[in-house]
Amino acid sequence: SIMQGCNMNCAFCIVPKTRGRERARPIEEIVDEVVGLAEKGVKEVTLLGQIVTSYGRREFPVVGGKSPFVQLLEKINDVRGIERIRFTSPHPRGFKQDLVEAYRDLPKLCEYVHLPLQSGCDKTLRAMNRPYTKQRYREIVDSLREVVPHMYFSTDIIVGFPGETEADFAESAAFFDDIAFDMAYIFKYSIRTGTPAESMPDQIPQEEKERRNQVLLELLHKSSLARNEGLVGTTQQVLVEGPAKKGDKFVGKTRGFRTAIFDGSERLIGQLVDMKVERATASTV
């Protein structure tokens, strides 16, 4: 955890009221913790914050055109023993050019981005009080794919937000399909007491939310399966996590956050190994 709180006011979210304003830990303190983890054998760290890309933007200065968050990424990239860096959950407004270029310049920053979309319809985004358009979102995706062509993307998206018409949903689904996410957390809108969306008119019936959810799940299955099948025949670096839940296999994650299942042994746990991909499903290689 590198920060607490959130300064955004998304219409569906209660977090700013429950966790307060953004508060960031000092860069040096975080780096010292990461050094300690590396000395214990940790190879991958994930930086956590409600909007992690907002880290320190009011507490710490921009240096050389780089935000405090990018400065932190650079320092962690220099920690001996750490091999992989991830972070979650960002906000599209945090993806300025310095962060895009960090994916190009920092070898330990995994080529995987969790980039919450919430809706692919501008009308719904405005109702959600999300300060970007789908065009701006696409520009971010394109800029990241420009610096790392094989970038992996996951997202959060909500179906059935109050006032989302069938046409709005169709627009959102088409955009979701066009981006071709590798993974997504698809949520059926549910009321959070005390949020602006609670009292919005035109609440969507539950059965319609279920239908829309299923539409996106099918689109996600198609794009995720195509991406994984494209890895067949390639060699992927896997960080071995431990025994798989079923059978006598082992499980780990690729740099692109694909779940890998393979033959292995206890001695490989915590190690980075190369795995040749022979088969793929929508969820595993």
Side-chain angles (χ1 to χ4, degrees), residues 51-124:
I51 297 184
V52 71
T53 44
S54 295
Y55 168 79
R57 63 180 176 173
R58 286 177 172 80
E59 292 105 323
F60 312 128
V62 172
V63 177
K66 294 176 181 177
S67 67
F69 184 63
V70 172
Q71 295 171 47
L72 176 61
L73 290 174
E74 290 179 337
K75 289 184 180 298
I76 295 176
N77 187 77
D78 290 338
V79 174
R80 186 187 302 272
I82 295 299
E83 300 289 344
R84 292 180 172 184
I85 304 168
R86 305 187 191 276
F87 59 84
T88 198
S89 186
H91 189 287
R93 73 182 303 177
F95 276 80
K96 305 294 192 293
Q97 192 61 26
D98 63 332
L99 181 53
V100 171
E101 291 175 358
Y103 277 95
R104 180 195 66 196
D105 299 337
L106 303 180
K108 296 178 182 179
L109 183 58
C110 290
E111 55 273 24
Y112 163 79
V113 181
H114 182 72
L115 189 61
L117 172 62
Q118 306 303 1
S119 175
C121 168
D122 285 346
K123 175 190 151 203
T124 305

Side-chain angles (χ1 to χ4, degrees), residues 145-165:
R145 284 177 170 156
E146 184 175 342
V147 297
V148 183
H150 59 289
M151 186 73 77
Y152 292 79
F153 288 89
S154 64
T155 198
D156 299 329
I157 188 166
I158 296 170
V159 299
F161 189 76
E164 183 186 61
T165 66

Side-chain angles (χ1 to χ4, degrees), residues 2 4 44 49 60 104 144 147 153 188 193 195 227 246 262 276:
I2 66 170
Q4 297 290 329
E44 177 178 303
F60 312 128
R104 180 195 66 196
L144 287 164
V147 297
F153 288 89
K188 293 164 282 191
T193 303
T195 61
R227 184 62 183 269
K246 296 181 180 179
F262 47 89
K276 184 174 181 181

Side-chain angles (χ1 to χ4, degrees), residues 17-75:
K17 290 187 177 181
T18 59
R19 298 186 186 174
R21 305 290 286 176
E22 293 171 0
R23 306 172 305 283
R25 296 172 60 196
I27 289 179
E28 296 76 14
E29 179 183 307
I30 298 165
V31 174
D32 286 346
E33 183 179 349
V34 172
V35 170
L37 291 170
E39 289 172 349
K40 295 176 182 177
V42 169
K43 290 187 171 59
E44 177 178 303
V45 291
T46 302
L47 309 181
L48 301 176
Q50 186 64 32
I51 297 184
V52 71
T53 44
S54 295
Y55 168 79
R57 63 180 176 173
R58 286 177 172 80
E59 292 105 323
F60 312 128
V62 172
V63 177
K66 294 176 181 177
S67 67
F69 184 63
V70 172
Q71 295 171 47
L72 176 61
L73 290 174
E74 290 179 337
K75 289 184 180 298

Side-chain angles (χ1 to χ4, degrees), residues 41-46 81-86 110 236-242 250-262 268-275:
V42 169
K43 290 187 171 59
E44 177 178 303
V45 291
T46 302
I82 295 299
E83 300 289 344
R84 292 180 172 184
I85 304 168
R86 305 187 191 276
C110 290
Q236 299 292 313
Q237 184 198 71
V238 174
L239 178 57
V240 183
E241 296 175 357
F250 282 72
V251 66
K253 286 286 196 298
T254 69
R255 283 180 57 97
F257 213 57
R258 304 283 81 189
T259 297
I261 307 291
F262 47 89
L268 294 178
I269 294 175
Q271 303 301 310
L272 291 165
V273 300
D274 286 337
M275 183 191 87

Side-chain angles (χ1 to χ4, degrees), residues 160-173:
F161 189 76
E164 183 186 61
T165 66
E166 180 57 35
D168 297 337
F169 171 68
E171 180 183 344
S172 186

Side-chain angles (χ1 to χ4, degrees), residues 159 169 176 186 188 207-221:
V159 299
F169 171 68
F176 180 86
I186 303 169
K188 293 164 282 191
E207 59 269 23
E208 179 59 19
K209 294 179 191 175
E210 297 282 357
R211 185 191 71 80
R212 295 178 185 182
N213 182 71
Q214 193 59 42
V215 169
L216 293 194
L217 284 172
E218 291 171 1
L219 292 174
L220 176 63
H221 183 276

